[in-house]
Amino acid sequence: MRRAGPAMAAPGESLRRRKAGAGDPEPEAPPGQERDLKGRPVRLRAGTFWLTRIVLLRALAFVYFVAFLVAFHQNKQLIGDRGLLPCRVYLQSVQRHFGGRVSWDALSYAPTVLWLLDWSQMDANLDALALLGLGISSFILVSGCANMVLMAALWVLYMSLVNVGQIWYSFGWESQLLETGFLGIFLCPLWTLSALPRGTPTSRVVVWGFRWLIFRIMLGAGLIKIRGDRCWQDLTCMDFHYETQPVPNPVAYFLHRSPWCFHRFETLSNHFLELLVPFFVFLGRRMCIVHGTLQVLFQVVLIISGNLSFLNWLTIVPSLACFDDATLGGLFPSGPGRLKDQVLKIQKEEAQGAGAPRTRAGCVARGTVNLVLGVLVAWLSIPVVLNLLSPRQVMNSSFNPLRIVNTYGAFGSITRERTEVILQGTASANASAPDAAWEDYEFKCKPGDLRRRPCLISPYHHRLDWLMWFAAFQTYEHNEWIIHLAGKLLANDAQALSLLAHNPFEGRAPPRWVRGEHYRYKFSRPGGRHAAEGKWWIRRRLGPYFPPLNLQDLRGYFTSREWPYPEPE
């Protein structure tokens, strides 16, 4: 008896198998994914921005979350009831300036909800604003859902902090977050909370608002460099930048020692990305995608090479508006019910003229809002564009109190040497005694201890450390808050000390004297003698920054500025 062999295929089936194997097989689609007539997975169509909106909202919510987290951790110490620059004192000075009452002029000069709250509990007010912002931004970040109400709440909450933050909130990324957040309001439907609100397609006016923002950010940064420090034209700025930037990180330590040709390449690349690439956004879809890709990669490089707060993370947000659904589709998983699948169905319905029903009144209202937004941004952009064209360009400034459209720029000048203010205290009764032992206070991130590795904290931000960098190439007369800080150190003030990494008088009586010393800091050479000793930095004393101070001598200074007098703990 013969054994049964494998069944023979029919001639037609055999021919079909041979034809199918003649070329590359079609990619397998996940179960349930739609296919076209040729059996290929259906791709998202270009020109819609459903997925773009989700990515934008989550990215913006992440930056908001970090900003409110920084506010919650540091606002009480900086602008609280007993902060270094109390916002209650600031609001009272604004109120006095405008006739001693909360008038429209005062409100428009410093728009903040704190005008409406009880100033006797300012710490609680600041915490409430920060916690509310943390809660809303967390919800949007996790869910990907937002509406105009939630986004407007985030914008109002952060604007309320920025406008009383004084010098601590005086940097370009604060206005940039407010402008980005303002545009984010109009990404969303009014009430609906859905990742894909089918009745509210992403507005092209808002998409172009984000593109206009990233264009101005990058071009403004490029122009301020060319018009500013000569080293940007000589291609030598990067010889100094890594060492002298506000808060270097460990990568900057090694990049500083790169060959001179690499530093020249970096500077030329910077000019290309900031002066030429921004115009790609106006040259059609493909060039716009190239623009977005290059800007995102550029910001990632900047994140890796320095601690520039959440600035670079924030700058990525408007760059994402350069990508449509077809571009971003690969980042989203496929499958029935997934966001990508839902967008495919929406696109298919729209192509067949059977999209989600929209009321005529709703369409008119939405179109009117988009038109008003476009006109508003265009009108407010006039002084900004004139500033860009001006040889006396000003960076990081606002022409309106709500900071809806602003000027931007970064590192228009580069410092050639790094100087640091080192705060020291002594328990000696005589500050002038040769045997007085002065002990250093250490900050969270700024250079101090020569053996401490540079920190890596981006996108988080230590506001006091950043301001200490500016104070180092100014004088203490320009930075009265540093004397306030010295007074708090003389009292071992727990709130102020929470901003520092090390208190040499912890568990002991407060110092009798505190002084500021001025030092010149340089990176040690990798593999050199100092590096072998475990030192990341080497330093040389330049002289006193401010003279030894004791607490009693500061009583009149504190009283004249309406600062609470610190009591020793």
Side-chain angles (χ1 to χ4, degrees), residues 33-111:
Q33 182 173 336
E34 291 192 44
R35 291 175 174 270
D36 61 17
L37 296 176
K38 296 183 179 180
R40 295 173 300 194
V42 176
R43 296 178 180 273
L44 289 169
R45 192 175 71 248
T48 63
F49 299 91
W50 299 95
L51 298 179
T52 307
R53 170 163 54 193
I54 296 172
V55 174
L56 275 168
L57 285 175
R58 279 192 158 140
L60 180 54
F62 171 75
V63 178
Y64 264 132
F65 179 85
V66 173
F68 282 114
L69 184 65
V70 172
F72 180 67
H73 285 164
Q74 302 176 33
N75 272 356
K76 293 186 292 294
Q77 301 92 316
L78 299 176
I79 60 174
D81 291 318
R82 301 183 66 84
L84 295 178
L85 292 174
C87 64
R88 174 182 52 80
V89 175
Y90 172 73
L91 288 173
Q92 287 172 342
S93 68
V94 173
Q95 190 175 7
R96 285 195 298 268
H97 179 75
F98 291 104
R101 57 192 179 86
V102 182
S103 62
W104 174 254
D105 290 336
L107 286 169
S108 60
Y109 180 82

Side-chain angles (χ1 to χ4, degrees), residues 276-297:
L276 183 61
V277 170
F279 291 94
F280 289 7
V281 78
F282 304 112
L283 301 181
R285 176 177 176 268
R286 290 187 179 181
M287 293 302 289
C288 189
I289 292 172
V290 171
H291 169 274
T293 303
L294 289 175
Q295 298 301 359
V296 170
L297 292 176

Side-chain angles (χ1 to χ4, degrees), residues 1-262:
M1 180 180 290
R2 297 176 60 186
R3 298 178 60 186
M8 294 183 64
E13 179 66 21
S14 177
L15 180 61
R16 282 193 296 270
R17 287 182 182 176
R18 285 196 297 271
K19 286 183 178 179
D24 294 332
E26 294 291 342
E28 288 291 330
Q33 182 173 336
E34 291 192 44
R35 291 175 174 270
D36 61 17
L37 296 176
K38 296 183 179 180
R40 295 173 300 194
V42 176
R43 296 178 180 273
L44 289 169
R45 192 175 71 248
T48 63
F49 299 91
W50 299 95
L51 298 179
T52 307
R53 170 163 54 193
I54 296 172
V55 174
L56 275 168
L57 285 175
R58 279 192 158 140
L60 180 54
F62 171 75
V63 178
Y64 264 132
F65 179 85
V66 173
F68 282 114
L69 184 65
V70 172
F72 180 67
H73 285 164
Q74 302 176 33
N75 272 356
K76 293 186 292 294
Q77 301 92 316
L78 299 176
I79 60 174
D81 291 318
R82 301 183 66 84
L84 295 178
L85 292 174
C87 64
R88 174 182 52 80
V89 175
Y90 172 73
L91 288 173
Q92 287 172 342
S93 68
V94 173
Q95 190 175 7
R96 285 195 298 268
H97 179 75
F98 291 104
R101 57 192 179 86
V102 182
S103 62
W104 174 254
D105 290 336
L107 286 169
S108 60
Y109 180 82
T112 174
V113 298
L114 290 175
W115 287 113
L116 310 176
L117 303 179
D118 180 9
W119 293 359
S120 64
Q121 299 293 328
M122 197 60 83
D123 283 357
N125 295 338
L126 294 171
D127 277 352
L129 297 182
L131 287 172
L132 188 55
L134 281 170
I136 297 174
S137 58
S138 299
F139 170 78
I140 298 172
L141 178 60
V142 172
S143 69
C145 303
N147 57 28
M148 294 183 77
V149 176
L150 292 181
M151 296 304 295
L154 287 174
W155 182 70
V156 170
L157 289 169
Y158 200 67
M159 180 176 62
S160 295
L161 297 177
V162 169
N163 285 324
V164 298
Q166 304 160 81
I167 193 172
W168 312 107
Y169 283 79
S170 62
F171 301 103
W173 55 78
E174 315 294 357
S175 296
Q176 187 176 326
L177 178 51
L178 288 176
E179 180 171 352
T180 308
F182 181 78
L183 290 171
I185 296 171
F186 300 92
L187 272 175
C188 311
L190 180 59
W191 298 110
T192 306
L193 273 178
S194 171
L196 292 173
R198 301 184 63 166
T200 313
T202 308
S203 165
R204 291 180 180 270
V205 172
V206 179
V207 169
W208 275 103
F210 280 114
R211 293 176 179 179
W212 174 236
L213 171 58
I214 189 61
F215 172 81
R216 289 184 289 109
I217 290 171
M218 302 312 298
L219 186 61
L223 290 175
I224 202 70
K225 291 179 175 67
I226 290 296
R227 293 166 174 161
D229 202 316
R230 180 72 184 178
C231 69
W232 289 112
Q233 300 177 39
D234 297 340
L235 308 183
T236 58
C237 277
M238 300 307 293
D239 295 348
F240 314 100
H241 168 73
Y242 293 115
E243 183 177 77
T244 63
Q245 63 179 304
V247 185
N249 68 10
V251 177
Y253 174 80
F254 296 101
L255 287 175
H256 178 64
R257 298 296 181 181
S258 300
W260 69 269
C261 55
F262 180 74

Side-chain angles (χ1 to χ4, degrees), residues 16 21 51 58 94 104 156 164 167 188 195 204 302 314 388 390 415 422 444 460 477 483 496 512 516:
R16 282 193 296 270
L51 298 179
R58 279 192 158 140
V94 173
W104 174 254
V156 170
V164 298
I167 193 172
C188 311
R204 291 180 180 270
L302 295 177
L314 175 60
L388 279 175
S390 171
T415 53
I422 304 298
K444 297 274 190 183
Y460 195 78
E477 289 92 348
I483 304 301
R512 294 187 178 184

Side-chain angles (χ1 to χ4, degrees), residues 423-426 438-442 489 492 497 500-509 511:
L423 300 184
Q424 300 175 332
T426 182
W438 291 93
E439 301 176 74
D440 291 0
Y441 289 88
E442 286 294 325
L489 298 182
N492 260 0
L497 287 167
L500 305 186
H502 172 64
N503 171 22
F505 295 90
E506 184 176 3
R508 301 159 50 189

